[in-house]
Structures are given as C-alpha cells and as structure tokens.
Amino acid sequence: MSEGQGSSGNVLAAICSFFIPGLGQLVQGRVFKALLMFVLAAVLWVIWLGWIIHLWSIVDAAMYRRD
C-alpha cells in the first residue's frame, strides 16, 4: 500500500517541517529537497523572510505524493 497525499506519513512529515524546515522532506526520503528547504529558511531568517520558506516546507511535506 503506497502512502499518498493526506496519509498519516504526510501529516507526520508536515509536523516535522513545522518544527524544523526540511525535516519533513528528510523523513520522506527527499534529502536534496530537505537540504534546500533548511538552507533557504536559514538564510532568509536573517532578513525576516524565512517564514515564507518555513510555510512552503510544511505545505510541500503535506502535499507530497509519490509517483
């Protein structure tokens, strides 16, 4: 059984990304995307725009669907 959008795995990933941007993608096995989210959020938090990437990370983890 594959886990798709709205699955408990995606909910867990979204919760992980809520605390640390990119952690949800890492839980899903998407290492490059996780690193990208983490680095972008860290860089943009310096100029107070990191919340944009942080929210994007949460939504991306929640909406992810394996092909």
Side-chain angles (χ1 to χ4, degrees):
M1 180 175 177
S2 67
E3 293 186 9
Q5 182 179 352
S7 70
S8 60
N10 283 9
V11 172
L12 176 63
I15 292 170
C16 289
S17 281
F18 175 78
F19 291 105
I20 300 173
L23 185 58
Q25 287 76 15
L26 190 60
V27 166
Q28 292 171 331
R30 301 185 295 155
V31 177
F32 179 75
K33 186 86 173 226
L35 185 62
L36 177 69
M37 295 286 189
F38 183 77
V39 169
L40 280 176
V43 168
L44 288 178
W45 271 117
V46 171
I47 56 173
W48 295 101
L49 292 176
W51 61 272
I52 295 170
I53 301 300
H54 203 143
L55 289 176
W56 177 31
S57 175
I58 295 167
V59 171
D60 179 67
M63 303 295 288
Y64 177 66
R65 182 177 294 187
R66 291 184 199 266
D67 293 330

